Amino acid sequence: MHRLWRLPATFIAFASFGIGGVLLWLVYFPALALLVRPPARRIPLARAAIHRLFQAFIAWMRALGLISYEIHGAERLQRQGLLILANHPTLIDVVFLISLVRNADCVVKSTLAQHPCTRGPVRATGYICNNSGAELLQACIDSVAASGNLIIFPEGTRSRPGQPMKMQRGAAQIATRGQLDITPVMFRVEPLGLFKGQPWWRVADRALHFTITVGEDIAVAPFLQACEGESALAARRLTEYLIDYFTKSKGSYASAGT
């Protein structure tokens, strides 16, 4: 598709996404809060709405000729109680994952739970606020234990092309303290686009092609055994392993851009 079309098409796509989000905020979530009081019933309905919206957005971007994609191992995401760790090369990685995962949970900035424009959706979905300390780790562990599917990007932010991958240890600490196996998801995008620092109007020469690979679960028990049950040390070793795992799998912009 011609590059001159992809610029207005990109604007149309993201404007549509914004309109859908506003409608959820102004109509669906307030109605849900009034009609469904028990959180145990309200949260799954709210997450299902986000799941469907994100599915529609991915289909819309594909119809506009902005993206194409292939998914390998998607059946592994149909289970419940998963700790899903993924690399983070583009702006729409989380949209892709939530569109693929039912009952998805994630960690959001605590300020979003207080902001008048976002606190409704955040509270309705029961997403975890990133307050520092052990409470955050325990909330993440509890989410998986309650059959939620917790999505985390261990890099903490989008990758930058050509730079080596860096990870925070929080995701590994959740895995080791909760003794939770990891379901890894690797994103690869060609050509490079929607990466950190790139304005949305700087579109690529052709449609972005996403290759999404859901890997076999990574067992956490061997890391704990090797560190004699010391979770902090095991988290450090696990983080080193994850960096090597994602880099060798060429799932990061660090490898794709080199």
Side-chain angles (χ1 to χ4, degrees):
M1 184 177 293
H2 198 278
R3 186 172 182 176
L4 291 179
W5 161 245
R6 283 197 299 278
L7 179 58
T10 300
F11 173 79
I12 291 169
F14 284 104
S16 303
F17 185 81
I19 292 170
V22 169
L23 290 176
L24 284 179
W25 168 54
L26 292 178
V27 180
Y28 181 77
F29 287 124
L32 188 63
L34 288 173
L35 298 175
V36 184
R37 294 290 184 177
R41 291 179 54 205
R42 185 177 67 248
I43 288 175
L45 292 173
R47 292 180 179 178
I50 298 293
H51 174 67
R52 295 300 183 187
L53 174 66
F54 285 7
Q55 282 183 329
F57 180 67
I58 293 298
W60 183 223
M61 290 193 76
R62 187 176 189 176
L64 290 171
L66 297 172
I67 64 171
S68 60
Y69 58 87
E70 56 186 287
I71 305 172
H72 306 280
E75 68 280 357
R76 298 188 182 107
L77 296 178
Q78 303 309 308
R79 299 169 293 166
Q80 296 297 309
L82 300 177
L83 174 59
I84 301 168
L85 304 188
N87 64 315
H88 196 8
T90 80
L91 184 63
I92 61 172
D93 302 329
V94 67
V95 180
F96 257 115
L97 276 178
I98 293 181
S99 75
L100 294 170
V101 177
R102 292 186 178 89
N103 193 28
D105 197 0
C106 57
V107 180
V108 300
K109 294 180 180 179
S110 58
T111 53
L112 296 180
Q114 306 301 325
H115 195 283
C117 293
T118 54
R119 70 183 171 197
V122 170
R123 292 179 180 179
T125 54
Y127 289 160
I128 300 169
C129 295
N130 66 342
N131 300 313
S132 60
E135 292 182 1
L136 171 61
L137 297 180
Q138 190 59 51
C140 291
I141 294 169
D142 292 343
S143 174
V144 177
S147 297
N149 293 316
L150 182 62
I151 297 171
I152 295 181
F153 298 99
E155 294 170 272
T157 186
R158 278 177 286 165
S159 312
R160 287 187 179 273
Q163 295 187 6
M165 175 177 279
K166 296 181 180 179
M167 285 188 179
Q168 301 175 5
R169 284 188 203 160
Q173 289 176 339
I174 293 167
T176 55
R177 293 191 185 188
Q179 299 184 33
L180 304 172
D181 291 343
I182 294 167
T183 301
V185 179
M186 293 159 286
F187 284 87
R188 187 176 183 181
V189 188
E190 295 179 347
L192 302 181
L194 297 177
F195 55 83
K196 189 174 180 66
Q198 181 194 38
W200 69 268
W201 62 85
R202 290 187 180 175
V203 296
D205 293 333
R206 62 185 189 275
L208 305 182
H209 182 74
F210 286 76
T211 302
I212 304 170
T213 305
V214 185
E216 297 283 353
D217 286 356
I218 299 172
V220 172
F223 293 91
L224 289 167
Q225 292 169 1
C227 297
E228 298 181 347
E230 178 56 49
S231 61
L233 179 57
R236 186 188 311 165
R237 299 279 174 82
L238 179 56
T239 300
E240 294 170 354
Y241 175 85
L242 290 171
I243 291 173
D244 185 64
Y245 177 92
F246 280 107
T247 301
K248 285 185 176 179
S249 300
K250 296 185 178 179
S252 71
Y253 263 141
S255 56
T258 299

